[in-house]
Amino acid sequence: LFLNRRGFSRVLQCRKCGFVFQCKNCSVSLVYHMETHSLKCHYCDYSIRLPEECPECHNIDLKFIGSGTEKIQDEISQLFPEATIARLDRDIAVKRTEFQKVLADFKAHKIDILIGTQLIAKGLDFLNVTLVGVINSDLMINFPDFRSLEQAFQLLTQVSGRAGRGEKRGEVIIQTYQPENEAIQYALKNSYEEFFEFELPKREELNYPPFAYLIKFVFKAVSSDNAKKYAYEYLKYLMPLKDKYSFTILGPAPGLLERIKNKYRWLLAVRSSKRSVLWNVIREIHQKLHSEAGRHHVSIELVVDPLDLI
């Protein structure tokens, strides 16, 4: 069973005032982990004990929203009490001996049902897996990035390939509100060619890879104003270069996750059909502005060929 979300529940919310428990360092909600009875941030590892009441209104009626691999394991254990069930996600993978034991036990047929994140989607070759279930595939499909459909198709294809690898026939069940979605339809047919033919014209129309090259600048600072200021400082230097070179500027804009590890993030990307143009742009402005940013406590991360623009 595949769900690319670890933990028990994605959000803990007060039923009375609507308060949501958030990370103090990142702009994300804390994830409940039943195994440790704690709320954790998956970006900075900040954690707190599971609270007994809402800190805003002191209401004790708190609700869990959303599912992770821990919750699926708990529910499957109740549905199939006689089955031997195991979980494989990052929380297990950090304990190397336990990670290896789960894989060995599954291969030896000591585990009936294996639940996990993308750790179980790739590269595992077990002969007697006859059923793969993908839970809430819409989480992958609806991600706000130009590569999301491609990545969803890849994961669905990869995890589906775990079933039926031996003599026994395999079956794959995908849970979704969007059965007509192209990533799902082409994954069901296991057709890389058809997905490629569908996705490529969209990339060409929007001038995204593979029809163009990208470089992403991430501006990080304790102050959102500082990060924003230097993102626009970059923009100011980039604008005159557009006449000299041929490129497009995307942004600046705050990151989808605006704050991670107490640093606010602003993004800016440069796109061109020629990689040499991007290197020329970097040579002209990066060294000067990077040193200036450092003096103002702004760090700049440069990502060549980024996998996302968030």
Side-chain angles (χ1 to χ4, degrees):
L1 294 176
F2 170 74
L3 174 63
N4 210 22
R5 292 287 186 276
R6 61 191 174 102
F8 185 89
S9 182
R10 304 301 299 173
V11 175
L12 180 61
Q13 185 178 41
C14 174
R15 288 182 183 270
K16 184 177 180 182
C17 72
F19 175 84
V20 171
F21 289 83
Q22 300 273 342
C23 176
K24 70 174 185 178
N25 305 315
C26 311
S27 52
V28 294
S29 58
L30 293 170
V31 177
Y32 172 53
H33 285 252
M34 184 170 66
E35 199 172 59
T36 56
H37 299 290
S38 63
L39 297 178
K40 293 183 179 179
C41 173
H42 288 175
Y43 290 89
C44 72
D45 292 329
Y46 169 76
S47 67
I48 59 173
R49 295 292 297 172
L50 181 66
E52 296 181 355
E53 65 177 25
C54 170
E56 295 289 314
C57 68
H58 304 292
N59 173 46
I60 60 171
D61 189 9
L62 307 176
K63 67 175 178 178
F64 297 105
I65 302 172
S67 300
T69 48
E70 276 190 348
K71 185 174 183 180
I72 300 303
Q73 183 180 20
D74 182 61
E75 293 189 0
I76 291 296
S77 298
Q78 295 176 45
L79 289 169
F80 302 98
E82 303 303 318
T84 303
I85 300 165
R87 194 180 84 247
L88 204 56
D89 53 27
R90 185 180 164 193
D91 296 325
I92 302 298
V94 294
K95 311 164 190 172
R96 185 169 179 81
T97 54
E98 189 171 348
F99 175 78
Q100 293 173 333
K101 184 179 185 304
V102 169
L103 288 180
D105 286 350
F106 193 63
K107 189 171 186 177
H109 308 159
K110 296 178 182 179
I111 295 170
D112 301 308
I113 303 171
L114 181 62
I115 299 158
T117 57
Q118 60 184 345
L119 288 176
I120 67 169
K122 307 173 185 179
L124 301 184
D125 189 9
F126 299 119
L127 298 182
N128 287 309
V129 176
T130 54
L131 176 65
V132 166
V134 179
I135 299 167
N136 198 358
S137 63
D138 301 320
L139 289 173
M140 299 181 286
I141 292 166
N142 295 325
F143 201 70
D145 189 65
F146 76 96
R147 291 190 198 267
S148 63
L149 209 62
E150 174 190 355
Q151 292 170 341
F153 170 78
Q154 287 175 342
L155 270 176
L156 289 172
T157 303
Q158 288 162 346
V159 74
S160 297
R162 301 313 102 204
R165 298 183 70 84
E167 295 180 0
K168 297 179 181 179
R169 184 178 176 85
E171 182 180 4
V172 180
I173 299 173
I174 298 174
Q175 182 188 43
T176 179
Y177 286 101
Q178 307 169 67
E180 72 290 343
N181 184 275
E182 291 80 9
I184 292 175
Q185 287 298 315
Y186 294 131
L188 289 174
K189 293 194 287 183
N190 194 28
S191 177
Y192 286 93
E193 294 83 1
E194 287 183 86
F195 180 78
F196 180 82
E197 290 171 5
F198 165 78
E199 182 73 0
L200 206 63
K202 295 180 178 294
R203 296 284 184 88
E204 186 174 19
E205 180 183 357
L206 297 171
N207 199 29
Y208 277 119
F211 298 97
Y213 298 99
L214 288 169
I215 290 183
K216 178 173 74 173
F217 299 95
V218 185
F219 304 86
K220 303 176 185 179
V222 174
S223 161
S224 178
D225 288 341
N226 267 10
K228 180 180 179 180
K229 173 185 175 182
Y230 273 89
Y232 276 95
E233 194 73 12
Y234 249 65
L235 179 65
K236 184 177 75 175
Y237 278 86
L238 283 170
M239 290 301 289
L241 295 178
K242 289 181 69 177
D243 297 330
K244 185 176 179 180
Y245 304 107
S246 177
F247 62 85
T248 304
I249 302 170
L250 307 175
L256 181 65
L257 294 172
E258 190 173 359
R259 186 167 60 110
I260 297 178
K261 297 181 180 179
N262 267 329
K263 294 289 183 69
Y264 287 89
R265 304 165 65 250
W266 273 73
L267 311 180
L268 185 152
V270 177
R271 178 176 62 194
S272 175
S273 58
K274 295 180 179 179
R275 190 185 291 275
S276 58
V277 166
L278 300 182
W279 291 121
N280 287 334
V281 170
I282 291 171
R283 275 193 290 268
E284 292 225 19
I285 70 167
H286 191 58
Q287 185 174 354
K288 179 178 184 297
L289 289 179
H290 193 280
S291 60
E292 288 182 5
R295 288 197 296 272
H296 291 82
H297 308 290
V298 177
S299 63
I300 304 174
E301 178 185 355
L302 189 156
V303 186
V304 179
D305 299 327
L307 294 178
D308 61 65
L309 290 176
I310 59 170

